[in-house]
Amino acid sequence: MNKVILMGRLTRDPEVRYSQGDNSMAIARYTLAVDRRFRRGNDGDQSADFIGCVAFGRSAEFAEKYFHQGLKVIVTGRIQTGSYTNRDGQKVYTTDVVVEDQEFAESKSVSDANAGSFRASAPSPTPAPASDAGDGFMNIPDGIDEELPFN
């Protein structure tokens, strides 16, 4: 069984490209900084692993629209390895997590409060949130029903 579950913060905005051909498909690449459970060394510094993720299709479009640097997300998927020969003729080995599911790991208000310490550039435009229902859950903004990655 090849199953991965990660929770971490995006190190930068996703890089999105579109495949060529009749059926163009979005491909999003992003890196998650995932904290390790235990601290390394005597200095007590928290260490992290930086894990490359790749999403395809609607998941990639969702990442392009809503993911930004510093956002905490949960990703499930599978590990995929590969290799290629670079311009210098050296073989390069790759390991990525192919995203099967991705979701927010914190509320928008917490994410916005933490964004200052993670985001160096201006925030990407996002839809205006609906008013808070007071029950602890965020309302879905108006007008994005057909853009949600699930039915």
Side-chain angles (χ1 to χ4, degrees):
M1 179 185 293
N2 183 354
K3 186 77 167 177
V4 176
I5 302 172
L6 302 170
M7 181 170 64
R9 293 191 183 276
L10 274 75
T11 59
R12 60 179 170 262
D13 292 348
E15 178 182 312
V16 180
R17 295 186 177 163
Y18 289 85
S19 64
Q20 296 180 358
D22 294 336
N23 296 329
S24 178
M25 178 175 37
I27 303 166
R29 291 188 171 275
Y30 53 87
T31 302
L32 288 182
V34 179
D35 288 335
R36 291 184 179 170
R37 177 173 250 169
F38 302 105
R39 298 176 191 273
R40 189 191 313 184
N42 295 333
D43 54 7
D45 286 341
Q46 181 75 31
S47 57
D49 292 305
F50 297 90
I51 301 171
C53 300
V54 60
F56 297 95
R58 304 237 342 157
S59 294
E61 293 169 2
F62 183 85
E64 178 181 33
K65 189 166 187 174
Y66 297 107
F67 284 10
H68 56 81
Q69 181 179 1
L71 182 69
K72 191 174 193 177
V73 297
I74 298 172
V75 170
T76 59
R78 61 182 169 82
I79 292 179
Q80 180 173 293
T81 59
S83 64
Y84 63 92
T85 303
N86 67 10
R87 292 180 182 156
D88 298 331
Q90 297 176 336
K91 194 160 195 165
V92 177
Y93 295 93
T94 62
T95 303
D96 290 309
V97 171
V98 177
V99 175
E100 295 170 357
D101 188 32
Q102 57 192 2
E103 58 188 79
F104 302 108
E106 60 190 3
S107 69
K108 183 162 175 30
S109 60
V110 171
S111 175
D112 289 345
N114 289 333
S117 62
F118 291 96
R119 189 180 309 158
S121 61
S124 59
T126 56
S131 62
D132 186 13
D135 58 359
F137 291 96
M138 183 180 113
N139 289 333
I140 297 173
D142 294 333
I144 67 165
D145 294 339
E146 56 276 0
E147 297 175 4
L148 294 175
F150 50 85
N151 290 330

